[in-house]
Amino acid sequence: MDVVDPQEFVAKVAAGLTAPGAPFEMTVEPVLGVPIPVFARRRANLRELLEHSLSWGDRDYLVTEDRRISFAGHAAAVGALATALAARYGVGKGDRVGILAANGPDWVIAFWAAQCLGAIPVGYNAWWAPPEIAYGLGHTTPTVMIADAKRAALLADTEIPVLTMEEDLPALIAEFGGGEIPSTPLAEDDPAVVLYTSGTSGKPKGVVHSQRNMVAISDYHRFTDAMLAVFMGQEPSDVPRDRRYLVTAPLFHIASLHNLVIPRLLTGAAAVFPHGAFEVGRVLSLVEREKVTNWAAVPTMASRLLEHDVAQHDLSSLAALSLNSAPSSPALLAALRAKIPALQFSLTTSYGLTESGTAATVATPLDLAADDASVGRPIIGVAVEIRDVDGHVVSDGEEGEICIRSPYVMLGYWNDEAATEASIDDRRWLRSGDFGTMRDGRLTVSGRRTDLILRGGENVYPTEIENVLVEHPAVHDCAVFGVDHPDLGQEVAAIIVAEPGTVDPAQLRAFVADRLAHFKVPARWRVTSDALPRNATGKVTRRELAI
């Protein structure tokens, strides 16, 4: 009996689906002047995805603990809100529509309403403090803001019109409903969305993804569905999927918006939203009630799952768990498989960043069986190179900077040409700033971006916090860095140089909390009068610091 190499079988299936004339035929076309592999048959913009979703009719699209919105109901609400934004607030092509809110159906409806007008939705971080919000508004200058009541209260002093999700949106949808869904001509490389990511300079940067990026990401998810169908002995088709995806990461992250909520318009599957902060019991009860099949979690959530008595919940519907946003240790993966046997052959991890649009690599169960420390192989359409400090590609197994090129990679940073040029070269290669190695086609990440702290799936850059701390009159110098944490992966620590008795951690904690999001506030402090260690160029050597 012939033994079939599983990886060869996967490659054969992928080749069949992407061959000339096949459903996912790949071709090479110029993207922003550079030849890039793309799907030959694709939709031109996100508005066409919304049009396609009408075919799913009364199937569930957006589900919460107390709301259930069908694809048809969603499209009707989107059309009404888009009409209202244009008629009452003058929103048009290229204008920004700010969204500042916790996860929920209204966030999604606001996003799609902007798409209908050719406007650019901007997903502001819902955990930002008022100074951060003020920076974001000044940076992307939205024509109108859509916010939940909690965040609308933080926008009381802005001159920008603020629409609340609890009162204004329902009223506008009721008033302007019943008409055609607006449509605005768009080019593939027009901006589609802005999401913020922390910047090494200390200010958040607005990552701009294009219509092409977003449509390609959705097609990638269709492709993975087709691959799975073939593995199960079925013919790939566009029949609606009965899968139900749990959305626990914020919608202002690519993990939830780009890779969970948007692709469902093409696949006819549902997105399920828990309420409030992450609580394992409450989330698992929702998984049980809604028969959730797929969950994309951050490792912190997975760690909390291990501490919970999962036997009290019926999780038999949960067929796939993917871990994103931060590296997952082999020990965590093994513990999850032991805790939930159904995940034995359906646990995946991935590597990507906001700038890459979606995962650059995915480690399938096959990859993890071969090397559970890797983050897998490049996904369809993605090229990954490991380069040395001079930009030369290194040999297999050698460490270097991870560089990525694909139709999913961002256009650039909003209103920041210098940062864009520093991140993307003239051949459209994205420099990740992360370091790793490639062995046998699989990527292993060896170091995160310089000084980056990964706290519970959130990126925290020390410079941003240090810039706030040095504003305190008692602080002469400071350094912020990450320390290991059993649940969060890392937590934020700070060393403060000050005269003895002039300031204490409680005062500093309050000072930072007034200015930055809670996850950026240091949890561990040391106040000293000793000078910080610095290198020959005067930079603090964080590796020498300890709390």
Side-chain angles (χ1 to χ4, degrees):
M1 181 176 178
D2 293 335
V3 177
V4 178
D5 181 291
Q7 207 62 57
E8 286 185 10
F9 177 67
V10 171
K12 184 178 180 180
V13 171
L17 288 171
T18 58
F24 296 91
E25 176 185 348
M26 295 292 288
T27 186
V28 176
E29 295 182 9
V31 175
L32 301 172
V34 177
I36 299 283
V38 295
F39 291 109
R41 287 179 288 281
R42 60 189 185 273
R43 291 164 177 84
N45 54 56
L46 285 172
R47 174 63 176 72
E48 293 187 13
L49 271 64
L50 180 67
E51 191 74 27
H52 180 82
S53 75
L54 292 172
S55 64
W56 307 132
D58 292 333
R59 292 179 63 87
D60 285 346
Y61 174 35
L62 306 172
V63 177
T64 71
E65 293 174 19
D66 55 7
R67 295 176 71 184
R68 193 174 301 274
I69 300 175
S70 69
F71 284 95
H74 166 260
V78 165
L81 181 58
T83 302
L85 291 176
R88 187 154 294 173
Y89 300 96
V91 175
K93 184 176 180 179
D95 290 336
R96 273 74 65 204
V97 174
I99 308 174
L100 183 66
N103 280 6
D106 297 303
W107 205 112
V108 179
I109 291 168
F111 171 88
W112 285 107
Q115 295 299 331
C116 292
L117 302 173
I120 307 168
V122 181
Y124 296 110
N125 191 316
W127 299 330
W128 274 353
E132 295 168 300
I133 295 171
Y135 166 77
L137 299 184
H139 183 234
T140 30
T141 58
T143 299
V144 64
M145 285 294 296
I146 299 175
D148 57 25
K150 180 178 179 180
R151 279 83 186 180
L154 302 176
L155 298 168
D157 295 333
T158 183
E159 297 180 359
I160 303 167
V162 178
L163 307 179
T164 62
M165 292 179 172
E166 292 81 357
E167 296 182 7
D168 296 324
L169 258 60
L172 289 170
I173 289 169
E175 181 180 351
F176 288 87
E180 294 292 319
I181 301 175
S183 182
T184 303
L186 290 166
E188 284 192 279
D189 294 312
D190 281 345
V193 67
V194 178
L195 298 182
Y196 278 89
T197 186
S198 295
T200 53
S201 64
K203 289 291 186 183
K205 290 184 287 188
V207 174
V208 185
H209 287 120
S210 66
Q211 295 287 329
R212 181 196 301 277
N213 294 153
M214 307 293 277
V215 172
I217 291 165
S218 289
D219 281 335
Y220 155 64
H221 286 280
R222 286 180 58 237
F223 172 78
T224 60
D225 281 354
M227 290 279 288
L228 184 60
V230 175
F231 294 158
M232 298 175 67
Q234 304 167 0
E235 285 293 320
S237 71
D238 285 328
V239 298
R241 303 295 176 180
D242 289 328
R243 300 193 192 111
R244 302 174 79 77
Y245 292 77
L246 188 68
V247 183
T248 48
L251 282 166
F252 52 80
H253 283 187
I254 63 167
S256 286
L257 182 63
H258 296 33
N259 293 280
L260 287 181
V261 170
I262 292 174
R264 305 291 70 83
L265 268 67
L266 288 182
T267 66
V272 181
F273 296 87
H275 280 170
F278 181 79
E279 297 178 17
V280 177
R282 189 171 183 177
V283 168
L284 293 184
S285 293
L286 189 62
V287 169
E288 181 176 4
R289 189 190 85 178
E290 293 298 327
K291 306 300 181 188
V292 166
T293 59
N294 296 64
W295 182 12
V298 300
T300 298
M301 295 174 182
S303 296
R304 293 177 185 172
L305 187 65
L306 293 174
E307 300 167 0
H308 188 77
D309 179 13
V310 298
Q312 60 184 294
H313 304 279
D314 178 5
L315 303 182
S316 58
S317 64
L318 190 61
L321 176 66
S322 61
L323 299 181
N324 313 300
S325 302
S328 303
S329 69
L332 174 60
L333 298 176
L336 283 169
R337 293 188 190 103
K339 185 84 169 183
I340 307 176
L343 299 177
Q344 190 71 27
F345 303 106
S346 61
L347 189 61
T348 64
T349 66
S350 63
Y351 165 77
L353 50 158
T354 305
E355 290 86 343
S356 66
T358 185
T361 66
V362 171
T364 66
L366 282 176
D367 292 316
L368 294 173
D371 180 4
D372 60 5
S374 89
V375 289
R377 302 170 185 273
I379 68 169
I380 186 170
V382 171
V384 173
E385 291 184 351
I386 308 298
R387 297 179 177 179
D388 63 20
V389 292
D390 297 317
H392 301 131
V393 178
V394 302
S395 302
D396 202 53
E398 288 188 30
E399 185 179 82
E401 184 177 15
I402 302 166
C403 297
I404 303 160
R405 187 168 71 178
S406 80
Y408 319 121
V409 167
M410 68 171 181
L411 284 175
Y413 296 112
W414 182 266
N415 201 25
D416 197 337
E417 188 175 338
T420 300
E421 291 180 354
S423 296
I424 301 178
D425 68 17
D426 59 0
R427 303 302 296 165
R428 293 294 300 167
W429 283 96
L430 171 68
R431 297 184 57 186
S432 71
D434 296 334
F435 293 86
T437 56
M438 289 287 284
R439 287 188 179 87
D440 301 323
R442 283 187 292 267
L443 175 67
T444 300
V445 179
S446 52
R448 300 299 292 180
R449 277 164 276 182
T450 305
D451 302 327
L452 176 67
I453 302 167
L454 280 167
R455 181 194 180 280
E458 287 292 327
N459 290 352
V460 180
Y461 281 94
T463 302
E464 184 180 19
I465 305 168
E466 290 166 352
N467 288 346
V468 169
L469 283 168
V470 295
E471 294 176 4
H472 193 286
V475 175
H476 298 322
D477 200 359
C478 66
V480 172
F481 52 101
V483 294
D484 291 340
H485 188 276
D487 183 25
L488 298 170
Q490 286 184 302
E491 63 179 359
V492 183
I495 295 179
I496 306 298
V497 179
E499 295 298 325
T502 57
V503 70
D504 62 38
Q507 294 170 315
L508 293 167
R509 189 176 291 111
F511 184 81
V512 177
D514 285 341
R515 292 160 175 80
L516 295 176
H518 71 91
F519 63 88
K520 301 176 186 177
V521 179
R524 300 176 65 176
W525 299 84
R526 179 156 67 89
V527 180
T528 178
S529 56
D530 297 332
L532 297 174
R534 295 181 180 273
N535 63 17
T537 63
K539 294 181 180 179
V540 173
T541 50
R542 288 188 175 86
R543 292 183 180 180
E544 298 180 26
L545 301 175
I547 289 285

